[in-house]
């Protein structure tokens, strides 16, 4: 008697083996109720079962039987008639996207007890892989960023299957990606064009690894490898306009350039000094305002949470600061956001950014790092390109050399400098570093002006 149960959706295929036989099962999803297992075929050769599962997964991903005709014919020719017929029927059902349920389905077995997770016994590093310090030459780390808009899921999956890709087992797929599009795209990213997609973004980031800077090879790294890519100029421009209280400052008037009478021909001329030009000031101001917005956003979402425990990998600012600041509370983070605004206000008044505390020094270091990225991919006709040009434009090294008393705060990033933030630490006393502990970051320097304590917060 035919089953009256509604058809289900096949989402994966699995193998079960005993000493005498192997069984292939379909993992089915139902509109109501839990997932279930349906028997597909039983055979004596475990290799036949493995091959059958691989074929069924490919058909399920492609929704196309013709792509595996030759392999299906070769496999069924080696199998007894009964399992061969069942496999052919299962292939057709997998291609259709639906699966007729039968009485006596098996409930899915619960996941393994986490306490029995074998990954707990995985060694901390590869047995024969070298450490960074063991390599005599330079090591370059390259990270790529791609963004693909999937315009044709079926075309994407067909191309990935042709490359030998098999989708993840259903138990490992997220609810937001039931067809394992992520795995399919990753399989094809070596090609300049990924079938069924439109490439929206392609960036690369490269760096030389250094033992002195605390770097380590990925296989031995105790912390995740994090790479920061640039933001798009469209988003940056929108944020800058919304964050600025009035209009963009007139940097051409605030920072007029001057030409020395020697025209740069006299190497000993004391008047030929680097200038903060309108274009440099504009990009530096943009970076500071955007960083302030990102810091306010971070502070709002983080609250008093310890950064390393917070559930996000997309923080804009605070994950870029020394680890000793990761325990900061919400008030500290808002004060840090205001430090970016204070420096941006210096520029908006026609003054060089004037860091008067450790927090503002850190803010300015980040802004100088980010400012060059705001020159990328800008349209030819925009406000920045209308500013006058000068040979001193984009002198970021000069910004780093001339806008700080020292770069002591950067020592906090190095693992070898642990403890140097404390004034009682011997290295701190030897170098005359001062108090770099998190609580002292907003203490004004003795020889710099103090900010107006009544200025409040922009957000």
């Amino acid at each position: 008697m035919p089953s009256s149960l509604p058809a289900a959706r096949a989402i994966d295929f699995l193998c079960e083996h005993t000493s005498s036989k192997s069984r292939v099962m379909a993992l089915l999803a139902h509109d109501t109720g839990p997932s279930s297992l349906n028997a597909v075929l039983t055979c004596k050769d475990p290799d036949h079962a493995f091959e059958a599962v691989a074929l069924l997964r490919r058909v399920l991903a492609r929704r196309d039987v013709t792509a595996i005709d030759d392999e299906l014919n070769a496999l069924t020719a080696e199998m007894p008639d009964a399992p061969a017929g069942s496999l052919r029927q299962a292939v057709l059902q997998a291609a259709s996207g639906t699966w007729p349920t039968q009485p006596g389905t098996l409930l899915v077995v619960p996941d393994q007890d986490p306490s029995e997770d074998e990954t707990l016994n995985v060694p901390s590093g590869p047995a024969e892989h070298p450490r960074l310090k063991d390599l005599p030459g330079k090591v370059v780390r390259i990270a790529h960023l791609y963004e693909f808009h999937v315009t044709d899921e079926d075309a994407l999956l067909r191309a990935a299957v042709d490359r030998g890709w098999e989708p993840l087992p259903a138990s490992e797929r997220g609810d937001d990606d039931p067809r394992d599009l992520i795995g399919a795209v990753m399989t094809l990213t070596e090609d300049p064009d990924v079938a069924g997609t439109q490439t929206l973004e392609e960036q690369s980031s490269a760096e030389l690894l250094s033992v002195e800077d605390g770097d380590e090879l990925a296989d031995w790294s105790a912390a995740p490898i994090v790479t920061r890519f640039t933001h798009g100029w469209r988003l940056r421009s929108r944020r800058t306009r919304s964050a600025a209280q009035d209009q963009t400052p007139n940097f051409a008037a605030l920072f007029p350039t001057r030409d020395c009478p020697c025209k740069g021909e006299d190497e000993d001329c004391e008047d030929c000094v680097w200038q903060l030009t309108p274009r440099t000031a504009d990009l530096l101001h943009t970076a500071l305002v955007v960083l302030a917005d990102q810091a306010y956003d971070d502070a709002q979402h983080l609250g008093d949470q310890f950064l390393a425990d917070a559930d996000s990998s997309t923080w804009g600012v605070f994950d870029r600061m020394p680890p000793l600041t990761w325990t900061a509370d919400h008030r500290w983070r808002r004060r840090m956001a205001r430090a970016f605004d204070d420096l941006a206000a210096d520029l908006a008044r026609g003054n060089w950014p004037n860091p008067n505390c450790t927090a503002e020094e850190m803010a300015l270091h980040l802004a100088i790092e980010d400012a060059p990225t705001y020159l990328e991919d800008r349209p030819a006709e925009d406000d920045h390109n209308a500013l006058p040009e000068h040979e001193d434009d984009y002198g970021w090294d000069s910004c780093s050399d001339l806008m700080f008393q020292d770069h002591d705060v950067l020592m906090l990033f190095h693992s070898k400098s642990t403890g140097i933030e404390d004034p009682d630490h011997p290295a701190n006393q030897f170098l005359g570093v001062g108090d770099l502990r998190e609580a002292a970051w907003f203490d004004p320097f003795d020889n710099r002006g103090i900010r107006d304590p009544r200025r409040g917060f922009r957000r």
Side-chain angles (χ1 to χ4, degrees):
M1 177 178 177
S3 170
S4 60
L5 295 172
R9 298 184 307 280
I11 54 178
D12 199 9
F13 294 91
L14 309 169
C15 284
E16 177 186 66
H17 304 285
T18 67
S19 58
S20 61
K21 63 182 178 180
S22 295
R23 183 163 60 165
V24 174
M25 295 170 290
L27 178 59
L28 307 180
H30 305 270
D31 292 334
T32 59
S35 300
S36 65
L37 290 172
N38 261 160
V40 173
L41 62 89
T42 301
C43 59
K44 292 185 177 181
D45 189 333
D47 289 339
H48 290 168
F50 278 120
E51 292 180 43
V53 166
L55 289 179
L56 288 166
R57 284 178 172 172
R58 290 176 61 189
V59 171
L60 183 64
R62 295 193 56 147
R63 300 285 197 270
D64 181 8
V65 178
T66 59
I68 54 97
D69 271 347
D70 292 342
E71 295 166 271
L72 178 62
N73 290 334
L75 177 57
T76 54
E78 297 178 1
M79 301 173 72
D81 291 343
S86 297
L87 177 57
R88 290 186 181 279
Q89 181 62 33
V91 164
L92 295 176
Q93 292 172 180
S96 72
T98 61
W99 199 275
T101 55
Q102 302 294 331
T105 58
L106 305 172
L107 291 181
V108 177
V109 178
D111 292 336
Q112 181 181 3
D113 188 329
S115 64
E116 300 175 1
D117 190 348
E118 295 179 358
T119 61
L120 296 177
N121 298 319
V122 175
S124 59
E128 300 180 0
H129 198 297
R131 304 292 293 264
L132 182 60
K133 63 182 177 60
D134 299 327
L135 299 175
K138 301 291 186 182
V139 175
V140 178
R141 173 178 290 152
I142 299 178
H144 298 289
L145 168 67
Y146 297 100
E147 292 175 348
F148 297 101
H149 172 209
V150 179
T151 56
D152 187 335
E153 291 188 7
D154 290 337
L156 167 66
L157 296 174
R158 284 194 296 271
V161 169
D162 289 344
R163 187 64 64 84
W165 166 78
E166 292 183 10
L168 286 172
S171 59
E172 299 179 26
R173 300 179 211 163
D175 293 339
D176 58 341
D177 188 17
R179 302 185 74 184
D180 193 16
L181 300 179
I182 293 175
V185 171
M186 290 181 68
T187 300
L188 299 172
T189 50
E190 292 182 3
D191 295 334
D193 296 310
V194 175
T197 73
Q198 174 191 11
T199 303
L200 302 177
E201 183 67 59
E202 180 177 350
Q203 294 186 36
S204 295
S205 172
E207 60 178 321
L208 279 172
L209 301 187
S210 167
V211 174
E212 290 73 19
D213 290 341
D215 294 331
E216 183 51 278
L217 300 177
D219 281 344
W220 285 101
S221 179
I225 304 299
V226 177
T227 301
R228 186 171 298 277
F229 294 98
T230 62
H231 302 287
W233 69 265
R234 297 175 181 83
L235 175 61
R236 291 197 296 264
S237 300
R238 178 184 63 78
R239 277 183 162 173
T240 303
R241 288 195 299 272
S242 65
Q245 294 173 342
D246 296 309
Q247 58 183 3
T248 302
N250 183 353
F251 289 112
L254 291 169
F255 296 94
T257 57
R258 59 191 181 283
D259 293 322
C260 181
C262 82
K263 301 185 182 301
E265 298 177 359
D266 184 357
E267 295 182 357
D268 299 323
C269 179
E270 296 182 356
D271 294 327
C272 287
V273 294
W274 179 80
Q275 303 173 59
L276 180 58
T277 66
R279 291 191 172 206
T280 305
D282 179 43
L283 294 189
L284 198 55
H285 181 267
T286 298
L288 286 163
V289 173
V290 174
L291 283 164
D293 274 342
Q294 292 173 334
Y296 279 118
D297 289 342
D298 282 2
Q300 178 181 352
H301 290 101
L302 279 169
D304 294 333
Q305 292 182 82
F306 175 38
L307 182 66
D309 292 340
D311 185 18
S312 177
S313 59
T314 57
W315 304 118
V317 174
F318 293 113
D319 61 341
R320 300 174 60 185
M321 293 189 180
L324 67 84
T325 68
W326 291 2
T327 57
D329 60 14
H330 180 248
R331 180 174 181 272
W332 190 97
R333 288 164 175 151
R334 280 177 54 77
R335 295 179 74 187
M336 189 68 222
R338 185 172 62 181
F340 293 105
D341 273 342
D342 287 338
L343 295 172
D346 288 342
L347 286 165
R349 288 191 292 266
N351 302 319
W352 280 30
N354 181 28
N356 83 330
C357 62
T358 301
E360 291 184 12
E361 284 189 331
M362 188 73 252
L364 188 55
H365 279 300
L366 293 180
I368 291 172
E369 179 183 339
D370 287 0
T373 68
Y374 292 90
L375 191 61
E376 300 171 4
D377 301 325
R378 299 184 75 107
E381 298 179 1
D382 74 344
D383 293 341
H384 178 80
N385 288 328
L387 292 170
E389 296 185 67
H390 191 274
E391 61 182 5
D392 286 338
D393 286 342
Y394 317 129
W396 308 118
D397 289 341
S398 296
C399 288
S400 294
D401 291 340
L402 301 175
M403 292 179 178
F404 298 88
Q405 295 185 78
D406 56 58
H407 293 175
D408 289 347
V409 69
L410 299 182
M411 291 191 294
L412 300 179
F413 287 102
H414 301 308
S415 57
K416 291 185 177 180
S417 299
T418 300
I420 201 170
E421 69 275 5
D422 191 332
D424 294 332
H425 192 279
N428 183 302
Q429 295 179 352
F430 177 78
L431 297 172
V433 171
D435 195 349
L436 295 181
R437 290 174 296 183
E438 168 196 314
W441 271 39
F442 301 98
D443 294 346
F445 300 142
D446 293 338
N447 59 340
R448 296 292 180 106
I450 298 176
R451 303 287 183 188
D452 182 356
R454 298 167 298 179
R455 66 194 184 282
F457 295 87
R458 174 165 58 84
R459 287 175 50 185

